[in-house]
Amino acid sequence: MLAIKSLVVNPERCTGCHRCELWCSLTKWGELNPARALVFVVRREPGVDSPVICYQCGLCARVCPNRALVRDANTGAIRVDSGRCDGCGECVAACPYGVIRVEPGMRIAVKCDLCGGEPACVAHCPQGALQCQEVEAGTWRKRETWALVNASGPRR
């Protein structure tokens, strides 16, 4: 049976350096352009930054009318089959984390695919705020992060 992996965030370690975004855009697009990254560092308040990542939950795949989003048999990541994607945006609307988009000019959905199993964002995070773990191993960190975010009160 496939050991599905996903990214896990430790927000207390994030310093807001944006290296994850830079390495993601360089790996995926060959350019240092955080606007094209598939991991997003969000500033919640001064000095409090946190990466927002794809958890490979598969909600996007469930709503795709063209079955263009499929789970990779080797990595467990949801990836986009560009031959089937027509850029309809159903996946964008379904994503609870806001981490999938239709790439402008290409009319194709783009999302994190774990870089084929070796995520560049994880490899280049100097603080260890990002990790790639088997889903079961990362569940505690995900619950803790969710509770931290939701217990901190309303946002402005």
Side-chain angles (χ1 to χ4, degrees), residues 120-143:
C121 59
V122 171
H124 296 284
C125 178
Q127 304 304 321
L130 292 168
Q131 298 173 356
C132 186
Q133 298 178 337
E134 288 188 16
V135 170
E136 290 299 318
T139 55
W140 172 251
R141 171 53 62 187
K142 288 178 190 178
R143 286 191 295 262

